[in-house]
Amino acid sequence: RTATWQRNSRRMADDIPEDFMCTITGEVFQDPVIASDGHSYERVAIEQWFQRRNTSPKTNEVLESTVLVPNHTLRGAIESFLERFLRELDRGSFTVG
């Protein structure tokens, strides 16, 4: 599966929904969390962000809290998308939407 992922990562970059990408890292979420600004970020990236500042990466507004809540719904949607993507890619018939 890892080899398939690496071979197809370039194609996936064009097909993956923007909402599945962290605005800090520019990569697909692995452990998405929701910050107090209501936006989702990759856990490690937003934790590192909060070590340097207490603002929203999206709005640059000061956040009242640095509490992070796991975004299980987004994580599940990404996992389903990736499974479907790889399955359909193997068949050569993947379409977004």
Side-chain angles (χ1 to χ4, degrees):
R1 194 169 213 177
T2 300
T4 301
W5 174 271
Q6 291 171 342
R7 277 195 315 269
N8 298 309
S9 62
R10 189 169 281 155
R11 163 118 190 258
M12 183 176 289
D14 294 333
D15 292 335
I16 194 145
E18 189 175 317
D19 290 342
F20 291 179
M21 311 276 289
C22 176
T23 57
I24 298 172
T25 66
E27 297 177 4
V28 177
F29 288 110
Q30 293 182 32
D31 186 13
V33 293
I34 302 170
S36 63
D37 64 357
H39 296 286
S40 292
Y41 304 98
E42 180 63 32
R43 181 183 298 277
V44 172
I46 192 67
E47 287 174 345
Q48 290 173 350
W49 179 276
F50 285 155
Q51 288 175 3
R52 297 185 306 273
R53 54 188 78 85
N54 65 339
T55 58
S56 164
K58 286 211 174 191
T59 67
N60 207 33
E61 293 183 24
V62 174
L63 299 176
E64 293 182 20
S65 172
T66 58
V67 172
L68 301 172
V69 178
N71 192 334
H72 299 295
T73 302
L74 179 57
R75 186 178 198 161
I78 292 168
E79 288 172 357
S80 294
F81 174 87
L82 295 176
E83 288 172 9
R84 179 175 161 250
F85 180 89
L86 294 175
R87 191 171 51 251
E88 296 296 321
L89 194 61
D90 285 342
R91 287 190 231 152
S93 61
F94 182 80
T95 58
V96 176

